[in-house]
Amino acid sequence: MILVLLILVPLITGIFSFLTKGDGAKGLALISSIITMAISAFVSAGNFSAPMHFITPWIPNLGTQFSLLADGMSSMLCLLTGIVVQVVMTVSWNKPVEKAGAFYGLMLLSQAGLMGVFLANDALVFYVFWELALIPVYFLCSTWGGEKRIAATFKFFIYTFVGSLMMLAGLIYLSMQNPGANSYSWSNIMHAGSSLPASQQAWVFWLIFIAFAIKMPIFPFHTWQPDTYEQSPTPVTIILSALMVKMGMFATLRWLIPILPQGVAFWSQTIIILSIIGIVYASCLAIVQTDIKRMIAYSSIAHMGLMSAAVFANTNMGMHGVMVQMFNHGITITGLWLVVSMVENRWGTRDMTKLGGMATSAPLMAICLVIISLASIGLPLTNGFIGEFMLFNGLFQTNSYYHITFMVVAGLGIILGAVYTLNMLQKTVYGETVKMKITKDLGSNEYLGLAIIIILIVFLGVYPKPLLDLTSGIATALVP
Amino acid sequence: MKAIIAATILGIIMMFAGIMAKEKKPLATLATILLFILLGVNIWDLTNTSSLAPQSLFNNMLRIDRYALWFNTLMTGCTLLYVLLIGKEIQKVGAHVAEYFALIFFILCGVYLLSCYNNMLILFIGIEIMSIPQYILAGSDKRNLKSSEASLKYFLMGAFSTGILLMGITLLYGATGSFNIISFSFLQADHLNTLALAGILFIMIALSFKVSAAPMHMWTPDVYDGSPTAFTAYMATVVKAAAFFAFLRLFQVSFGSLSSQWTLVLAIITAATLLVGNLTAVFQQSVKRMLAYSSIAQAGFMLFAILAVNAVAWQGIIIYSVAYSIATIGIFTVLMKLKDYTYDGFNGLAKKEPLLAFVTTIFLFSLAGIPLTGGFMAKYYVLQALIQQGHLLWLVIFGLLMAAISVYYYFRVIIAMYFKEGNAELHSPVTATDKFMLVFTCLLVILIGLFPQLLLGNI
């Protein structure tokens, strides 16, 4: 029942938020996000004893039940969602928003959708939430975004919608393999999929994977991403990049790898190559960006590329690393976006060439930015290190003739990552002070939000054991 | 089968009421009451036929099964919803309000015949009973040249397709010596003569015309665009659904065992319908015309059910008919409130009438097939039916790509309402009753999306 609350709390408060006037929505959203975070923390903590289930009949003659399951990976991502949304609400507390009721309402609805995706243990429930998470984000971007928002988000919507429909066909096909009272349950889909002959798995793989590939996004399905990130308002960009791309990764781990093992084996080489091309390509593009937001968008493609390469490397270490890194990347990139939005609010620009000297004008913010950026590069003692280390280790152990080539080329991405991140730091934090007028440093709510992020970054960098323990069972179940 | 008789009698009562009453409003109220009665009669029929075994009536001319009765009830419900939502607009079309409503009753009589015919002649008569009132309704805005053109075009093309249908029936009679559709099911693929094959092809073409499948769709945009909007809403929904039900009945019950002979032809028709409907809809500037093309595109999906030839197909066509009808009637209701039928006419509607914009969004979601709306479940069932059939997976993928295109033109309306500046001018003020009815319709759409099994009753 407590799992249903994870979905219901943001859903109901989200609907109520539409009816509020003035500042009510803001308070409601903050309270709701804190409650949701607390529940997700409780679910994660409880996970060490036994995973929680929730099942109730939904549409029996379709073979689908409303079935939720919070195992280690699910509860970790729910926790991530809880934390990120809460931090976003905290930081945007004193930022006035037009039509606040609708804004916060849609944010909460998208949170409900995300929770549903991470918890669903029934393919049709999963599909429904997969779509429901998208719709509020579409409206958020189109209403509160930048100048070219309508075209950018429309492209994003159609891209992801095509993917979802293909996935729907794939899921129907799988459920049809062994029809019955709960043919959509995860275990049933898994049996149906893994008992298909290899040749069929190979094409069903693409039906399902295309949706995830678009969401992650991996090269060459990424073209919607930089525009959408750039045009969205920052709170929405955070939802998109910290949480929604994790949907793709999570879905691959839950609804693809165990379900079509032979299909995955057949295509894994291809996907790894695509991912690695994506890493290098996105890193190169990130270097030449002057807009910080676009730069982070490309860096996100590179990071997700590394994760997807490690997933398809099909090693225990790699899988485990991906799960840990999903959480870490979510935390780190949230921090980056938050600082970017603070910079934009204060100086009115995101152009690196026009920024400089933050270290003297806003020292606290500069320190935060440096720590978060270092975590993004994957410096030891930050949370980024442990995940990246495991990813590379996993990629290296992969059973492929080219594993060293993969390693080397993907490693190039890390070096390039250092190049663009440090370049950004140099231009904004240091550089000439004259360009930046002295304004207010961090406000108390901003301080609080960033403090949560930085504490997590350092804590998980020094002591990643809780995160590793939470997910090790799932990784072992995928690849012993 | 009291509903057939009831529809006729109620239609006649409606016609004579036109002589008694001079006011328009009481006539509309009377029509609503009579429709409630008709719905009651349908439910009576349904509860009386408790046994699942089909029963034959009128010397085996009709064969009643639960699918048919259930379909009749749902379609009567949709008609009632239509009259409740659009009744006010029907009164504005012209002077002969009683006749318009009477014609709707006669159309319903045709719908009932089509859902349970067991004889090709009843199929023919049903199609005629259903079509002729439509020709009149299409031309009911007498002073409007476009309306007269629509009526004439519809009539000529309709007559043409009826000719083809008759030829097909004749050829089948020649091949089998019977008009009874059950006896056709003895046609087997291994000793099939050209006569029967040609007959099936002719009937397929004629029915494709009625459901506006490409390349027999040419009349649809002009007729839908030219007819008074109040009647377009009906033609595009209940009438079309009934034609589909008749199509499904014939091709599943009679020609199901021959499916290897006609599947490919129909699959190509389906693909063409999806392609033409969706691609052309993208380029429309008028929302009314876009809805006409979208109805062609939706017909493509409904054809999936006919191709599938399995039990899911029945459920698919029923859910699709209802979900599509409700959403389309809803959109037409909103459309009729606006002065300007182009996309620009919707600009800024969300600021002016937030509720209207919201319900329109839900209806459009339903047409696009977004989860938790009826349209999603409808698409789901027909997809499931076709995937279960197993040999036409290319068509499934193609259809899904086309569904993604459909998002483009449905969302253009949403973009216009929410994200564009403008002052959507209203034709008439939105009353509290309108709002109530629209919200009710919107809730129906969501309810079907959440619990589609409610629509399938106990069939």
Side-chain angles (χ1 to χ4, degrees):
Chain A
M1 193 58 213
I2 193 140
L3 295 182
V4 185
L5 281 183
L6 272 181
I7 299 169
L8 275 187
V9 170
L11 185 72
I12 292 173
T13 49
I15 291 171
F16 271 108
S17 171
F18 280 98
L19 308 173
T20 55
K21 295 260 185 306
D23 272 358
K26 204 159 68 172
L28 188 67
L30 187 65
I31 293 169
S32 156
S33 65
I34 290 173
I35 295 175
T36 318
M37 185 173 72
I39 300 175
S40 62
F42 177 77
V43 169
S44 305
N47 211 277
F48 288 103
S49 49
M52 293 184 199
H53 285 274
F54 177 83
I55 293 185
T56 181
W58 181 33
I59 312 175
N61 55 359
L62 288 189
T64 180
Q65 299 165 305
F66 190 80
S67 141
L68 304 176
L69 167 76
D71 58 7
M73 182 167 51
S74 299
S75 51
M76 179 190 77
L77 287 167
C78 287
L79 183 63
L80 177 68
T81 311
I83 293 173
V84 169
V85 173
Q86 193 272 330
V87 168
V88 170
M89 298 298 182
T90 311
V91 172
S92 51
W93 178 258
N94 52 7
K95 213 179 294 168
V97 193
E98 256 182 85
K99 288 180 268 180
F103 181 81
Y104 287 105
L106 288 168
M107 289 286 277
L108 291 172
L109 289 185
S110 74
Q111 188 191 13
L114 282 161
M115 290 288 186
V117 168
F118 294 140
L119 290 171
N121 197 33
D122 179 288
L124 208 60
V125 176
F126 169 72
Y127 178 79
V128 166
F129 280 117
W130 178 273
E131 290 282 303
L132 285 193
L134 176 65
I135 306 263
V137 170
Y138 169 75
F139 279 95
L140 280 168
C141 298
S142 305
T143 315
W144 289 274
E147 246 168 70
K148 287 177 282 178
R149 61 185 192 275
I150 294 176
T153 46
F154 202 26
K155 181 174 165 189
F156 159 64
F157 188 84
I158 291 195
Y159 249 93
T160 44
F161 194 67
V162 172
S164 324
L165 285 173
M166 292 299 146
M167 173 173 79
L168 178 65
L171 293 176
I172 297 179
Y173 184 81
L174 288 177
S175 83
M176 217 64 99
Q177 300 307 313
N178 81 45
N182 43 11
S183 58
Y184 274 106
S185 68
W186 183 82
S187 53
N188 235 331
I189 292 272
M190 207 248 314
H191 284 300
S194 48
S195 49
L196 281 178
S199 58
Q200 282 198 44
Q201 287 196 20
W203 65 263
V204 178
F205 172 85
W206 276 106
L207 276 187
I208 296 186
F209 183 63
I210 198 124
F212 308 158
I214 290 170
K215 210 78 156 194
M216 281 199 243
I218 68 167
F219 181 85
F221 305 106
H222 66 280
T223 53
W224 60 269
Q225 195 245 34
D227 290 336
T228 312
Y229 282 14
E230 189 192 355
Q231 294 301 323
S232 306
T234 307
V236 184
T237 314
I238 293 173
I239 299 270
L240 275 168
S241 66
L243 304 172
M244 289 194 84
V245 296
K246 305 300 178 298
M247 277 164 60
M249 197 55 77
F250 163 83
T252 311
L253 290 169
R254 166 81 20 108
W255 295 100
L256 191 67
I257 305 271
I259 286 172
L260 299 167
Q262 283 168 300
V264 171
F266 186 78
W267 291 109
S268 62
Q269 197 96 304
T270 317
I271 307 291
I272 292 179
I273 291 173
L274 284 180
S275 309
I276 287 174
I277 293 175
I279 298 175
V280 177
Y281 170 80
S283 303
C284 290
L285 281 177
I287 290 176
V288 296
Q289 301 300 323
T290 53
D291 185 327
I292 307 181
K293 229 174 165 179
R294 270 189 101 80
M295 188 213 86
I296 300 176
Y298 281 110
S299 88
S300 172
I301 300 182
H303 284 129
M304 294 310 285
L306 182 58
M307 284 187 232
S308 80
V311 165
F312 286 92
N314 206 27
T315 56
N316 178 287
M317 182 70 92
M319 295 289 181
H320 202 179
V322 169
M323 291 178 206
V324 175
Q325 187 68 351
M326 274 199 279
F327 191 87
N328 291 333
H329 178 256
I331 295 292
T332 314
I333 203 156
T334 305
L336 277 179
W337 291 123
L338 288 177
V339 177
V340 172
S341 81
M342 292 170 197
V343 167
E344 198 185 0
N345 282 345
R346 283 178 176 69
W347 290 286
T349 177
R350 299 189 305 250
D351 192 338
M352 282 185 232
T353 53
K354 290 179 189 152
L355 293 167
M358 193 203 285
T360 48
S361 54
L364 268 178
M365 194 200 290
I367 293 170
C368 292
L369 180 60
V370 170
I371 296 176
I372 297 166
S373 302
L374 292 180
S376 164
I377 304 173
L379 204 75
L381 292 188
T382 61
N383 64 349
F385 172 71
I386 179 71
E388 233 155 53
F389 176 78
M390 290 169 82
L391 294 180
F392 274 103
N393 209 334
L395 195 56
F396 185 68
Q397 289 169 10
T398 183
N399 183 20
S400 156
Y401 182 71
Y402 302 105
H403 61 143
I404 296 183
T405 323
F406 292 157
M407 258 295 280
V408 171
V409 183
L412 204 62
I414 296 297
I415 299 171
L416 292 173
V419 172
Y420 57 73
T421 314
L422 294 177
N423 184 33
M424 185 266 289
L425 278 185
Q426 191 192 358
K427 280 183 178 155
T428 52
V429 177
Y430 308 107
E432 287 177 53
T433 327
V434 211
K435 289 182 193 163
M436 276 173 141
K437 275 175 265 141
I438 294 170
T439 42
K440 208 172 132 258
D441 204 349
L442 296 182
S444 55
N445 63 322
E446 292 172 333
Y447 191 71
L448 184 67
L450 284 181
I452 296 175
I453 299 283
I454 285 174
I455 289 169
L456 279 170
I457 286 178
V458 176
F459 177 74
L460 292 174
V462 179
Y463 187 67
K465 192 167 179 300
L467 211 51
L468 291 170
D469 286 350
L470 195 60
T471 50
S472 65
I474 314 294
T476 317
L478 284 171
V479 186
Chain B
M1 211 46 222
K2 301 159 204 81
I4 298 177
I5 301 161
T8 323
I9 295 174
L10 295 175
I12 294 170
I13 294 176
M14 197 66 228
M15 244 159 66
F16 279 98
I19 305 175
M20 319 287 186
K22 290 284 166 259
E23 295 277 312
K24 285 182 177 178
K25 193 130 193 227
L27 287 172
T29 321
L30 178 68
T32 317
I33 295 167
L34 293 184
L35 266 174
F36 267 112
I37 295 174
L38 191 56
L39 187 64
V41 174
N42 268 298
I43 293 170
W44 186 20
D45 267 340
L46 195 64
T47 46
N48 262 2
T49 324
S50 51
S51 62
L52 280 167
Q55 57 186 110
S56 297
L57 287 180
F58 302 115
N59 290 323
N60 215 7
M61 286 295 206
L62 297 180
R63 191 155 171 278
I64 318 277
D65 53 29
R66 290 196 67 86
Y67 283 125
L69 290 175
W70 189 241
F71 181 79
N72 289 348
T73 314
L74 289 174
M75 283 301 116
T76 316
C78 285
T79 311
L80 182 60
L81 189 71
Y82 160 76
V83 169
L84 287 173
L85 278 167
I86 303 190
K88 240 194 285 175
E89 299 294 325
I90 298 178
Q91 295 172 39
K92 289 183 198 158
V93 173
H96 312 284
V97 179
E99 284 160 30
Y100 305 149
F101 285 116
L103 288 170
I104 288 172
F105 281 99
F106 295 143
I107 291 178
L108 272 178
C109 179
V111 170
Y112 299 155
L113 285 177
L114 282 180
S115 67
C116 55
Y117 66 93
N118 195 35
N119 190 299
M120 292 300 257
L121 293 176
I122 301 287
L123 169 69
F124 174 72
I125 292 171
I127 282 192
E128 286 303 286
I129 292 182
M130 192 173 77
S131 300
I132 292 171
Q134 283 189 81
Y135 305 149
I136 306 170
L137 290 179
S140 56
D141 189 1
K142 284 181 205 161
R143 264 160 267 154
N144 187 339
L145 207 59
K146 270 178 95 182
S147 173
S148 310
E149 183 205 333
S151 177
L152 188 65
K153 197 171 228 170
Y154 200 5
F155 174 68
L156 288 177
M157 297 300 277
F160 188 63
S161 79
T162 315
I164 295 179
L165 178 69
L166 269 180
M167 259 191 276
I169 293 174
T170 320
L171 288 176
L172 270 177
Y173 183 75
T176 60
S178 165
F179 283 126
N180 193 310
I181 65 164
I182 299 291
S183 67
F184 295 154
S185 60
F186 297 121
L187 285 172
Q188 287 302 327
D190 45 348
H191 43 87
L192 189 70
N193 55 21
T194 332
L195 223 52
L197 214 53
I200 292 173
L201 196 64
F202 274 142
I203 294 175
M204 188 193 290
I205 290 173
L207 289 173
S208 301
F209 176 91
K210 288 291 169 200
V211 300
S212 65
M216 281 69 76
H217 68 284
M218 296 296 186
W219 58 276
T220 319
D222 288 341
V223 171
Y224 285 8
D225 199 24
S227 309
T229 315
F231 298 129
T232 310
Y234 198 61
M235 286 178 202
T237 53
V238 174
V239 171
K240 195 172 209 174
F244 261 110
F245 200 81
F247 203 159
L248 182 69
R249 193 175 168 87
L250 187 60
F251 276 70
Q252 186 135 334
V253 173
S254 312
F255 308 145
S257 54
L258 290 173
S259 62
S260 58
Q261 301 288 324
W262 50 263
T263 302
L264 186 64
V265 182
L266 196 59
I268 292 170
I269 290 181
T270 310
T273 310
L274 286 166
L275 189 72
V276 169
N278 282 302
L279 286 190
T280 327
V282 167
F283 298 105
Q284 300 308 315
Q285 292 310 318
S286 147
V287 174
K288 191 177 174 188
R289 236 181 139 75
M290 179 277 276
L291 286 170
Y293 281 104
S294 112
S295 94
I296 298 176
Q298 303 279 354
F301 276 100
M302 288 166 97
L303 283 171
F304 278 14
I306 292 163
L307 281 166
V309 197
N310 51 32
V312 187
W314 288 104
Q315 304 176 351
I317 213 87
I318 289 175
I319 292 197
Y320 213 113
S321 301
V322 178
Y324 163 73
S325 299
I326 294 180
T328 311
I329 290 172
I331 291 189
F332 271 110
T333 314
V334 177
L335 187 67
M336 269 181 280
K337 295 273 170 230
L338 293 168
K339 255 192 187 151
D340 183 2
Y341 284 178
T342 60
Y343 283 101
D344 292 337
F346 278 85
N347 283 355
L349 186 65
K351 266 202 196 99
K352 201 165 182 181
E353 287 286 345
L355 188 82
L356 221 54
F358 175 75
V359 294
T360 313
T361 308
I362 298 291
F363 296 146
L364 288 166
F365 277 178
S366 180
L367 288 182
I370 307 272
L372 295 194
T373 60
F376 167 70
M377 280 303 165
K379 281 215 172 62
Y380 175 87
Y381 270 90
V382 293
L383 282 177
Q384 189 188 20
L386 196 59
I387 292 176
Q388 203 170 52
Q389 190 255 15
H391 300 295
L392 289 168
L393 288 169
W394 63 271
L395 193 60
V396 173
I397 306 287
F398 183 74
L400 289 174
L401 287 177
M402 290 296 135
I405 293 182
S406 78
V407 170
Y408 178 82
Y409 52 83
Y410 291 133
F411 270 56
R412 265 182 77 187
V413 181
I414 297 179
I415 288 176
M417 290 190 302
Y418 281 94
F419 313 132
K420 292 222 169 134
E421 295 298 319
N423 185 22
E425 280 183 71
L426 295 183
H427 218 281
S428 50
V430 188
T431 61
T433 336
D434 288 337
K435 282 187 180 163
F436 173 77
M437 278 314 296
L438 280 170
V439 170
F440 175 71
T441 316
C442 177
L443 286 178
L444 275 182
V445 169
I446 293 171
L447 193 68
I448 299 172
L450 273 174
F451 302 107
Q453 67 266 39
L454 294 178
L455 264 193
L456 294 174
N458 49 0
I459 54 174

